[in-house]
Amino acid sequence: MGRATGRATARVTARVTERAMGRAIERASGLGQRRGSGALASGSSGVPEGDRTISGVVLLLPGGEPVSTRRASSFSVAALRPLARRLERAGRAEGLVVHLVHYRCRGWNGAAAHTAHDAEWAADEVLRRYGDVPVCLAGTGLGGRAALWAAGHPAVNSVLAISPWLPPVADAAEPEPVKQLVGRQVMIVHGTNDQRTDPDLSYRLAERAKKANRDTCRFEVHSDGHSLHQHRSEVQALAVDFVLGSLAGRGYSRPVTDALAAPPPLGLRMPLAVGFGG
């Protein structure tokens, strides 16, 4: 780790948009840091945390690389900011806050599972700052795998894995764990044309997870790739629906309710309808 780990202990900042309060774009300092680990940054907050009751926290986990000790990419964090803002706006009335997790380095790195450990540290940091509140781990790419792995943390009540990067079966020393998902609400979202991570791998994982935990569903975004650009609005709306249903008790939309209730393969190959949430 060395140099990359040392750099990650510096303060990490994120842009905060507060147009509703008549302010320009500002910067908010990281939530906290641990020796040799990552940091959390506010997603977008228009209300000071001291003026409202925090009822739940969403931790957004960016993508990364299978093997790398380089400093975490700012581009992967930036790619999640639109979703962070949408989640924050949608959940503000229920007392939800959103934080972006900054990894100590961008790689999973085999048995070290660095990004998964950073996700666990972030959940610990949420408890330190907010107390005993439920946490949703929401990750994209490698962050999706980190969210699934870190689901066993006692604060986590739900997991959202978007285009999760999973190792090819031939390269895996053993199957991806699923026991840590028991008792959690779990949703996987994957584009059928993903060329970076095989969507069949997330389906196989969802099959195994469903056997251990019935509260598991998976949505397929037909004709879309890894970044889900073509149906970004629908994917974000689905994320909001799942997060608010899991953390705020709003109740899921009918498609999500049906996907969670349906047996395999129906509930694991649920198509995301064009215009969802519109």
Side-chain angles (χ1 to χ4, degrees):
M1 300 299 296
R3 184 179 303 172
T5 301
R7 290 173 180 166
T9 59
R11 170 180 282 188
V12 182
T13 59
R15 290 185 178 180
V16 178
T17 304
E18 295 184 319
R19 294 180 180 175
M21 299 182 67
R23 297 182 181 180
I25 294 177
E26 301 179 0
R27 289 186 178 273
S29 61
L31 174 63
Q33 296 161 351
R34 182 186 67 178
R35 183 178 69 255
S37 187
L40 301 183
S42 177
S44 94
S45 176
V47 181
E49 292 168 5
D51 294 348
R52 59 171 173 161
T53 300
I54 304 304
S55 60
V57 176
V58 186
L59 292 175
L60 291 178
L61 306 169
E65 299 177 12
V67 179
S68 177
T69 56
R70 295 174 60 196
R71 184 176 182 177
S73 170
S74 59
F75 294 104
S76 61
V77 174
L80 280 176
R81 286 190 179 128
L83 177 58
R85 289 192 290 268
R86 186 160 178 173
L87 286 168
E88 182 83 10
R89 288 195 300 268
R92 186 175 298 159
E94 279 83 2
L96 301 185
V97 294
V98 181
H99 285 286
L100 294 161
V101 177
H102 294 254
Y103 304 133
R104 50 186 153 170
C105 67
R106 68 181 65 185
W108 182 273
N109 300 322
H114 285 131
T115 48
H117 289 306
D118 284 350
E120 293 172 343
W121 163 82
D124 283 338
E125 192 66 13
V126 166
L127 294 180
R128 184 190 69 81
R129 175 161 181 169
Y130 298 112
D132 187 16
V133 297
V135 172
C136 175
L137 297 177
T140 63
L142 198 83
R145 188 188 188 194
L148 292 163
W149 272 55
H153 190 284
V156 174
N157 89 326
S158 51
V159 176
L160 172 61
I162 301 174
S163 302
W165 180 89
L166 300 170
V169 175
D171 297 342
E174 56 186 26
E176 291 289 286
V178 295
K179 290 183 179 180
Q180 77 282 2
L181 300 174
V182 173
R184 277 66 176 167
Q185 302 290 307
V186 180
M187 176 184 284
I188 298 173
V189 184
H190 216 140
T192 58
N193 289 355
D194 192 336
Q195 300 298 311
R196 293 182 57 187
T197 176
D198 188 353
D200 186 57
L201 294 177
S202 73
Y203 175 77
R204 294 183 194 180
L205 173 65
E207 274 190 316
R208 295 176 49 244
K210 188 75 172 180
K211 292 178 181 179
N213 175 24
R214 61 180 297 178
D215 293 323
T216 299
C217 66
R218 178 177 173 274
F219 277 77
E220 293 187 335
V221 188
H222 289 291
S223 76
D224 219 337
H226 183 74
S227 299
L228 300 172
H229 285 310
Q230 295 182 43
H231 300 92
R232 177 177 297 175
S233 179
E234 288 92 340
V235 171
Q236 289 185 355
L238 181 64
V240 168
D241 188 287
F242 177 73
V243 168
L244 294 184
S246 300
L247 290 183
R250 277 196 187 181
Y252 298 123
S253 65
R254 182 61 182 271
V256 175
T257 299
D258 290 346
L260 287 168
L266 297 178
L268 306 180
R269 293 195 184 279
M270 185 67 68
L272 180 59
V274 175
F276 179 90

